[in-house]
Amino acid sequence: MFQHLFFQEKLKILMKSLKAKVVKFGGVRNEYQLTVKHIKSQALRAEKHMKQEFQKLHCFLYSEEKTLMNDLRKDEEGQLLLMRQKMKEVSEEMSSLNAVIQSIESQLGQQDSARFLLDFPATRQRANCTPRDPEVVSAVINVGRYVGSLQYKVWKKMLNIINTASVTLDPNTAAPWLCLSEDLTMMGWSPIKQQLPDNPERFDSCVSVLGLEGFTSGRHHWDVDVTGQSSWCLGVAKESIQRKGIIKVDPENGFWTIGLMDGNECYAYTSPWRTELSITPNVIRVYLDYKSGKVSFYNLENMCLLYTFTHSFTEKVYPYFCPYLVPDSKNVSGMKIYPQKVVLQD
């Protein structure tokens, strides 16, 4: 009897462990179901945005084609009108000359010598009054204007409607409390937590997001508009940073950032204490020199240096953004990656 009870207790302990496993597997399954739903939502949103963007390009190309065709037709009509006018003038001159020739031929056939001599001065005067040679007019279409390097010229104009932001945000790293624009260049705090998969790349408690592209070499810069933001933080973060829970954004933890806290002073988040900056900029240029190990911040309005971090980078680093740090309601607008002007060399 004792042995029977002993083994029952053993089985109960094992059952408890198995049930705990079932609960754990159930939690993972729920997470997978959320991920499946999120994947479908991502695909639908991406498809919708892609269609909208391609529609803009289609409309632009159609408009450009229509404009060029209209210009070509006007050019054609103008040149044809000029040629018709010149042909009319030449025809009138030919008719006048033919009339003179007929008159002279008539005089040459005159049998009455006295009459011929009497009319000769007037006839000679008409024969001497010949017009100048007709002007040769170059009235052709400058075809090169329309078809020469056509694709390149249209592409240059297309740059005016193309998003030229230097950094694209990575939605798979965005915290659930963060809203991103469809083109992934603007971010803002959301009062409602979104139902997103808790994948390893994603921030959870810290309302942050990384740029899509990381860097292991070279020099790079991007501009961020923080106008209207009462709290923000931005800069550079290494790939291996902590993304779950409360995060301290300083160099010891793999962050090289500056930020504004609750609309007050602007700081560089140095270790062990923050460094107060002299001004609070509206548009900030982040400049990364990977080889030199420098992350510099400039006020884009006058390119005044705000602060420079120095570090020897040993792994990939990413642009880092946090548009909301303190629970208030003053952040009326989102942080935005400033578009950059594309300069083409002809």
Side-chain angles (χ1 to χ4, degrees):
M1 183 67 179
F2 174 78
Q3 192 177 22
H4 176 76
L5 292 174
F6 175 77
F7 285 126
Q8 277 188 328
E9 289 300 318
K10 284 283 186 182
L11 287 174
K12 286 180 181 178
I13 292 173
L14 292 173
M15 284 288 290
K16 186 176 181 181
S17 176
L18 290 173
K19 288 180 179 179
K21 286 286 186 181
V22 169
V23 171
K24 189 171 184 178
F25 276 103
V28 173
R29 183 183 63 182
N30 291 338
E31 187 67 27
Y32 286 166
Q33 289 174 340
L34 177 60
T35 302
V36 168
K37 184 179 179 181
H38 180 64
I39 290 171
K40 292 180 178 180
S41 175
Q42 281 184 311
L44 285 173
R45 291 181 62 183
E47 180 181 353
K48 179 181 178 182
H49 183 69
M50 288 165 60
K51 286 182 177 179
Q52 290 174 344
E53 292 301 307
F54 274 107
Q55 183 63 34
K56 290 178 185 177
L57 296 177
H58 293 158
C59 289
F60 170 81
L61 291 174
Y62 175 77
S63 176
E64 283 298 303
E65 179 186 10
K66 186 176 180 180
T67 299
L68 276 175
M69 289 297 184
N70 288 338
D71 290 346
L72 177 60
R73 295 290 171 255
K74 289 179 180 178
D75 198 350
E76 178 189 18
E77 291 171 3
Q79 300 298 346
L80 290 175
L81 181 63
L82 175 61
M83 292 310 300
R84 292 189 185 104
Q85 181 64 33
K86 291 300 179 182
M87 288 172 63
K88 181 182 178 182
E89 292 174 0
V90 169
S91 297
E92 289 175 349
E93 290 291 347
M94 289 176 64
S95 297
S96 177
L97 286 172
N98 284 329
V100 171
I101 291 171
Q102 289 178 3
S103 175
I104 294 174
E105 287 177 343
S106 175
Q107 290 298 319
L108 289 173
Q110 179 65 255
Q111 299 297 322
D112 187 343
S113 299
R115 184 65 183 175
F116 175 82
L117 293 173
L118 181 65
D119 294 338
F120 177 75
T123 302
R124 183 177 60 180
Q125 185 177 5
R126 286 199 302 272
N128 285 332
C129 291
T130 55
R132 292 178 297 175
D133 289 340
E135 178 186 4
V136 179
V137 177
S138 176
V140 291
I141 295 175
N142 183 3
V143 177
R145 173 191 170 194
Y146 300 100
V147 301
S149 302
L150 176 61
Q151 294 181 1
Y152 176 71
K153 289 187 286 189
V154 172
W155 174 66
K156 282 179 65 177
K157 293 184 69 176
M158 190 183 292
L159 290 176
N160 294 323
I161 67 167
I162 291 177
N163 172 27
T164 55
S166 53
V167 171
T168 298
L169 302 174
D170 183 358
N172 293 329
T173 66
W177 300 99
L178 196 58
C179 286
L180 306 183
S181 62
E182 290 292 334
D183 63 356
L184 302 177
T185 63
M186 190 171 180
M187 71 220 84
W189 181 78
S190 170
I192 302 175
K193 184 179 180 180
Q194 301 178 76
Q195 293 298 312
L196 300 173
D198 188 23
N199 48 295
E201 306 92 336
R202 192 180 305 280
F203 293 94
D204 54 9
S205 300
C206 187
V207 187
S208 303
V209 63
L210 297 179
L212 183 64
E213 181 184 4
F215 309 109
T216 56
S217 63
R219 296 170 179 161
H220 313 272
H221 74 269
W222 54 94
D223 305 327
V224 188
D225 189 347
V226 293
T227 305
Q229 294 290 107
S230 64
S231 303
W232 51 264
C233 179
L234 58 88
V236 171
K238 64 182 183 180
E239 188 173 26
S240 61
I241 54 169
Q242 175 187 340
R243 308 193 187 197
K244 309 299 181 183
I246 304 301
I247 299 172
K248 189 176 182 182
V249 288
D250 60 18
E252 289 185 358
N253 291 284
F255 295 85
W256 297 270
T257 62
I258 66 172
L260 179 68
M261 293 291 288
D262 199 21
N264 297 319
E265 291 84 4
C266 192
Y267 297 95
Y269 289 95
T270 51
S271 300
W273 308 105
R274 295 178 300 184
T275 300
E276 186 175 343
L277 304 181
S278 58
I279 60 173
T280 301
N282 289 322
V283 183
I284 303 156
R285 170 160 293 181
V286 184
Y287 182 85
L288 167 67
D289 187 335
Y290 191 95
K291 184 177 180 180
S292 298
K294 292 184 178 180
V295 182
S296 300
F297 300 86
Y298 296 87
N299 179 6
L300 194 61
E301 294 177 7
N302 53 18
M303 289 308 294
C304 174
L305 178 64
L306 301 171
Y307 193 82
T308 296
F309 289 94
T310 302
H311 179 81
S312 180
F313 298 116
T314 57
E315 64 177 274
K316 185 178 287 189
V317 295
Y318 289 83
Y320 171 78
F321 309 91
C322 181
Y324 193 93
L325 296 175
V326 186
D328 62 21
S329 58
K330 299 175 183 177
N331 278 348
V332 295
S333 60
M335 291 171 63
K336 182 174 178 60
I337 312 297
Y338 225 53
Q340 291 187 338
K341 185 176 181 180
V342 178
V343 179
L344 299 174
Q345 294 183 354
D346 295 322

